[in-house]
Amino acid sequence: MKQLMRKRFAALLGVLTLCGSFVVQGQEGYPLEGTWSGERQVNGKDSRVLLSLTLQRDQSVIGFVIENGKRQPLQNVQLRPESWTVSFTLEGGYQVEGKIENLGSFSERKIVGKWSQGSDNGNFAVKMN
Amino acid sequence: MKGTMMRDVMMKGTAMKQARKALVAALGVWALLGAANAVQAAAQEAPKPAKATPRLGNGQVNLGLSAGEKGFWGNSGSIYGRGRLSHRSNLLLEELPFQPWAKALYDYRAANRQSDDPHSRCMPPGPTRLVETVNGFEILQMPDLNRVYFVFGGGPRTWRVVYTDSRPLPDIDDPDTIGTYQGYTSAHWEGDTLVVESTGYNDRTWFAQGGIPHTRFLHLTERFSRPDFDTLSYEVTVDDPGAYTKPWTGGFDVSWTYKSWDGGDEGEIREYFCQDDNNDVLHMYGN
């Protein structure tokens, strides 16, 4: 699994160099599985984020965020299918509460919500690659 | 006067006897005709004997077209539910052991009339969907090459290669294993049944009709048999811990189709290509 994550990290760096998101093919399985890219609003400015999420056999979800060239693993990733809301926390960092939009879309699926850390907070929005 | 009356009485009596005889004769004829009709009707209602299962020269069951015959595999059932051509032993939809997210996703797709079906955007069908199609499919066996080809008759012209050399399946947890639309296959014959193990699927399809989800953990065990010329029996065991809480099994029969889609007597799958990269996706609907 660590090797899989390393491969995903390398792939995400490749995406960074392309300077934009692109539609590969539709992902029709577990709705969070895959890579996402977007922005986290920090002090009124957009900070580019890349998110990778992987479903495990035991239904747990692992992942990481790449922001400002720094890779941080995720903790406590939760998907609530009754409302299609998502939450996760960066190890030692901020937490995100969001909702999946355009669940059935192959090109417009998004996680839209808020991040917070202490008294700081802002918008968080990523789109599936 | 008395003689006339006597003659009248005698004539009436004779006439009545004759009428009675005629009635009895008529009743007898009617009974005979009825019996004949019953026999004829019984003969018409009795199912014709099924045509024998065809075999290749090596004695192996031929799952595909035989020399001198025409047609292709057409109408099919579903791997869940008990509708026409679906197996009576199938689980009902509400009995499928969905993981909670998988059930919620299925409900979402159903509520949206399956308008997000990737197959309607000319994406390939999944392995079960390939044999679960009104467009038909063909099976080509190449025992000398240890391969069986399933050729899809639908718009995304797809084929699936089933290897019958019992090769090992890949480790899907190996990051070098790239998931594919039709998976990696390893098959063998158990008597007259082709048993196909497969895994290494990507999650870019709806692997079966109706939008039931799967994940990259999907492992299928499929059984193909041909109990008679006109019937292909398909059974699959779905083992996907990502989407289902336990393995489950379902199946259906597929009917041999003698007519082309347009009713032509050629009994061939017509050329039909859907439009890849369709830019009007938003206005397309499934089913």
Side-chain angles (χ1 to χ4, degrees):
Chain A
M1 190 49 61
K2 281 186 179 177
Q3 281 184 311
L4 178 63
M5 301 300 280
R6 282 200 204 101
K7 290 256 178 177
R8 286 246 172 105
F9 180 67
L12 283 172
L13 287 180
V15 170
L16 262 177
T17 62
L18 290 174
C19 297
S21 67
F22 59 96
V23 175
V24 180
Q25 298 285 2
Q27 191 276 74
E28 307 289 339
Y30 182 70
L32 295 183
E33 175 109 358
T35 58
W36 310 67
S37 58
E39 283 78 36
R40 179 172 77 102
Q41 199 177 51
V42 182
N43 297 324
K45 291 182 181 176
D46 286 340
S47 175
R48 187 87 176 147
V49 295
L50 295 174
L51 172 67
S52 174
L53 296 165
T54 305
L55 175 69
Q56 305 284 80
R57 291 174 192 269
D58 62 359
Q59 296 295 294
S60 64
V61 180
I62 62 175
F64 58 85
V65 161
I66 298 176
E67 188 174 3
N68 297 321
K70 188 180 174 186
R71 178 179 179 273
Q72 290 180 273
L74 301 180
Q75 291 178 322
N76 199 25
V77 180
Q78 298 287 330
L79 171 65
R80 290 169 286 276
E82 61 276 11
S83 56
W84 295 115
T85 52
V86 181
S87 62
F88 55 84
T89 304
L90 270 66
E91 199 173 84
Y94 57 84
Q95 66 180 36
V96 171
E97 290 277 349
K99 186 177 170 67
I100 298 178
E101 294 183 354
N102 301 318
L103 174 66
S105 171
F106 70 103
S107 61
E108 297 297 323
R109 193 181 308 168
K110 299 175 185 174
I111 298 174
V112 179
K114 298 275 190 187
W115 68 271
S116 63
Q117 185 173 13
S119 58
D120 297 328
N121 59 73
N123 292 333
F124 184 96
V126 290
K127 186 171 158 183
M128 178 165 271
N129 293 328
Chain B
M1 181 63 75
K2 195 174 181 181
T4 305
M5 286 173 65
M6 283 292 288
R7 187 172 67 243
D8 285 345
V9 168
M10 285 176 66
M11 284 180 70
K12 279 184 185 175
T14 304
M16 285 181 69
K17 279 184 186 173
Q18 286 175 340
R20 218 177 287 130
K21 280 185 183 175
L23 179 61
V24 169
L27 284 172
V29 169
W30 182 79
L32 279 173
L33 282 174
N37 283 337
V39 168
Q40 187 179 26
Q44 286 175 343
E45 288 168 359
K48 294 179 184 176
K51 287 165 65 175
T53 300
R55 292 184 181 273
L56 301 177
N58 62 1
Q60 192 178 81
V61 167
N62 182 3
L63 298 176
L65 185 66
S66 303
E69 296 280 357
K70 64 178 181 180
F72 54 92
W73 293 113
N75 292 322
S76 65
S78 170
I79 60 172
Y80 58 92
R82 296 168 195 157
R84 182 176 168 270
L85 294 177
S86 302
H87 290 175
R88 296 287 104 188
S89 56
N90 281 0
L91 297 176
L92 300 177
L93 176 65
E94 54 267 29
E95 296 173 321
L96 294 183
F98 287 112
Q99 294 284 3
W101 72 264
K103 181 58 168 63
L105 183 57
Y106 171 84
D107 290 342
Y108 174 90
R109 289 172 175 172
N112 285 281
R113 295 161 53 196
Q114 301 173 13
S115 57
D116 300 314
D117 187 350
H119 192 46
S120 66
R121 301 193 309 271
C122 203
M123 297 301 289
T128 296
R129 189 96 179 259
L130 190 150
V131 297
E132 212 176 7
T133 173
V134 297
N135 300 111
F137 63 93
E138 296 195 39
I139 301 176
L140 307 173
Q141 281 167 250
M142 297 183 178
D144 293 344
L145 299 179
N146 288 316
R147 296 179 186 197
V148 177
Y149 284 88
F150 289 76
V151 181
F152 184 60
R157 281 304 210 203
T158 304
W159 68 93
R160 184 188 186 202
V161 184
V162 170
Y163 296 97
T164 56
D165 54 8
S166 297
R167 60 182 56 186
L169 291 174
D171 176 8
I172 62 169
D173 291 319
D174 182 343
D176 291 329
T177 298
I178 298 174
T180 65
Y181 289 94
Q182 300 298 336
Y184 296 77
T185 62
S186 178
H188 62 280
W189 288 90
E190 290 181 3
D192 288 341
T193 300
L194 179 65
V195 182
V196 182
E197 300 277 348
S198 58
T199 191
Y201 290 97
N202 64 33
D203 56 4
R204 296 173 186 166
T205 70
W206 292 8
F207 87 97
Q209 283 277 13
I212 54 172
H214 75 278
T215 71
R216 61 187 176 89
F217 300 115
L218 181 66
H219 182 119
L220 299 180
T221 303
E222 299 164 279
R223 294 177 170 275
F224 298 87
S225 60
R226 192 171 187 176
D228 58 69
F229 184 94
D230 293 302
T231 305
L232 181 74
S233 180
Y234 175 79
E235 183 184 271
V236 61
T237 297
V238 179
D239 185 1
D240 182 350
Y244 303 94
T245 59
K246 58 183 178 180
W248 58 279
T249 299
F252 52 84
D253 290 343
V254 188
S255 299
W256 190 256
T257 301
Y258 292 88
K259 296 272 189 181
S260 302
W261 299 329
D262 56 4
D265 291 330
E266 300 83 4
E268 296 170 351
I269 294 177
R270 297 285 193 229
E271 182 176 89
Y272 160 44
F273 290 92
C274 57
Q275 187 181 28
D276 193 13
D277 196 24
N278 192 313
N279 290 317
D280 199 22
V281 166
L282 291 177
H283 297 106
M284 291 182 68
Y285 278 89
N287 287 354

